[in-house]
Amino acid sequence: SDNSNIITANYTAANICSGGNCSVKPATGLQSGDYRWWVQSKNAVGLSSLGDPLIYTVKRQAPGTATLLSPNGGNAGTQPTYVWTVVAGANWYYLWVNDAAGKVYDFWYMAEDICNTTTCSVTPTNALASGPHTWWIQTWNPGGFGPWSAGMTFGSPAPPYSTSWYMDTINPTTLYNMGCDMGTRDKNMPGAQDSFLVLDFGNPSVVNGVYGTALFGFGTASTDQIATAVEQYAAGYIACASPDTSSHLRIGIGTNNYGSATSRNHGAAWARMVNAVNDWLIARGYYSRVDAAGASDLEVGWNSPSVTRAWVDGYDSENRYPFYNFGDAAGCPTRLYTGRSCGTSSQPNWALEDIWYISWGVGSAYPFPLVYATSGVNARQWQWISLYGYNNHGARMDIQGAFTQWQACQQRSGCSGMDNTPEQGWTQLWDELNYDSKTAQPRLRWLTDIKWLGE
């Protein structure tokens, strides 16, 4: 179409003609566009005229989609190397990188400069800020633009983990000293800390109409006694974190759904206790640095969905502060095993709707799941529950963090395959949530790991 000469070649009839027809296939590749061609013959007498050309159009096929390889999940550093698969026919690759606010980098790269026979890789000199980033690749050749690749997210390293506790005491001095240890930890770490931990006071109990829990190896304690213990933990934190006044700690006051005392009334009493603790913190000017929330280890095998829902509804009826479900999703399906059903042999009647409801569906609830399994199945279960929320209720869940038991496993045996380190548990959950854009989160805020007190 631009009147330039692309191919000129001479051929001997004996080499290209047969049965009254001649054909040639030049090695020169043509770009997309309109072309004209002529043939001029020659013999001993001379050259024929060119005559009128024939016209044809070349439509080159655009390249396919790149498959991204790395970086993917975890901390890739400020200048990561991006690696993806070679796409047949691609002459150029377009790298695009976003952070939470939008584009931070884009550039076209020529394939011959960055690719070997199987992969392409580039390491831009632009330094990225900390935090999550997502990247894509688009292909191009003269046939057009190829599709964008699927996005891949990286660069959100696990936050420092806090220590949660299985509680066997409500002694105010012990709790004050525990809070002091946490405050000292935050003071000695660089920058302002943002932490969450659970003080797990055990199974629900009710004694002569007084609600509380049965502590691990201690006996029962009322909600008033538990409130005093938590207040002393907060006071110890404030005293020993100084002069660090920028760090913040949220204390999950923990119980679970095990046993016959789990009920709507117990949930309501638990919420009133959390309200009272925060009133105490506000009155003393502590609340901007440490606050309290409800927490419950709502496990599928420990009670029925109806009883567990009743406890959650009771909490929600009295709450002024959220509660966190640091429970499990036993038996629930995953993207690898979509046909499974939630539940255990002793409690088979659970459904995805129940897990969603007690973790997110009720207004005060937030999911903070147990991610114990080194196989990654716990992370995949919770991603699937979040996807269930997206597909059935119009939005994914906002999972708050990962809960592991690595320290407890170091104290006691019997954890084989269920002893993710804190970083492993957090990374499994982060990567799995970001496997699907419908469940991807801009951050996974917290990480805590539980251990036994006094061991």
Side-chain angles (χ1 to χ4, degrees), residues 5 22 87 92 104 125 135 154 169 190 214 267 303 315 322 325 411 446:
N5 179 249
C22 305
V87 177
W92 290 80
V104 294
T125 58
W135 65 289
F154 68 92
T169 182
N303 221 315
Y315 186 97
N325 173 17
Q411 294 172 308
W446 288 312

Side-chain angles (χ1 to χ4, degrees), residues 27-90:
T28 304
L30 300 179
Q31 308 296 340
S32 298
D34 297 325
Y35 292 86
R36 296 172 295 168
W37 67 288
W38 299 260
V39 169
Q40 188 177 36
S41 60
K42 178 184 179 181
N43 61 20
V45 176
L47 295 171
S48 70
S49 65
L50 284 172
D52 294 328
L54 292 180
I55 299 173
Y56 66 95
T57 299
V58 171
K59 178 63 176 176
R60 186 170 175 182
Q61 186 175 1
T65 308
T67 299
L68 309 188
L69 300 177
S70 67
N72 181 25
N75 184 5
T78 60
Q79 292 179 275
T81 296
Y82 302 87
V83 185
W84 63 95
T85 58
V86 165
V87 177

Side-chain angles (χ1 to χ4, degrees), residues 386-410:
S386 187
L387 183 62
Y388 171 88
Y390 181 94
N391 291 333
N392 293 275
H393 295 282
R396 62 164 174 81
M397 297 194 301
D398 189 7
I399 294 178
Q400 298 295 292
F403 196 108
T404 58
Q405 61 173 359
W406 180 77
Q407 292 179 93
C409 289
Q410 305 309 299

Side-chain angles (χ1 to χ4, degrees), residues 199-231:
L199 302 179
D200 187 345
F201 290 94
N203 305 335
S205 72
V206 55
V207 179
N208 298 323
V210 176
Y211 293 98
T213 64
L215 274 66
F216 297 94
F218 174 81
T220 59
S222 70
T223 53
D224 286 345
Q225 291 173 313
I226 293 169
T228 298
V230 174
E231 290 161 3

Side-chain angles (χ1 to χ4, degrees), residues 182-197:
M182 184 65 184
T184 301
R185 174 255 201 189
D186 281 3
K187 176 179 66 177
N188 291 335
M189 294 179 70
Q193 305 307 307
D194 174 34
S195 302
F196 174 94
L197 58 83

Side-chain angles (χ1 to χ4, degrees), residues 14 40 53 75 128 133 154 236 242 265 273 296 358 384-385 441 454:
Q40 188 177 36
N75 184 5
L128 302 177
H133 291 78
F154 68 92
S242 297
N265 287 339
M273 173 188 64
S296 189
I358 65 174
W384 198 254
I385 296 165
Q441 299 186 183

Side-chain angles (χ1 to χ4, degrees), residues 29 169 260 307:
T169 182
S260 59
V307 170

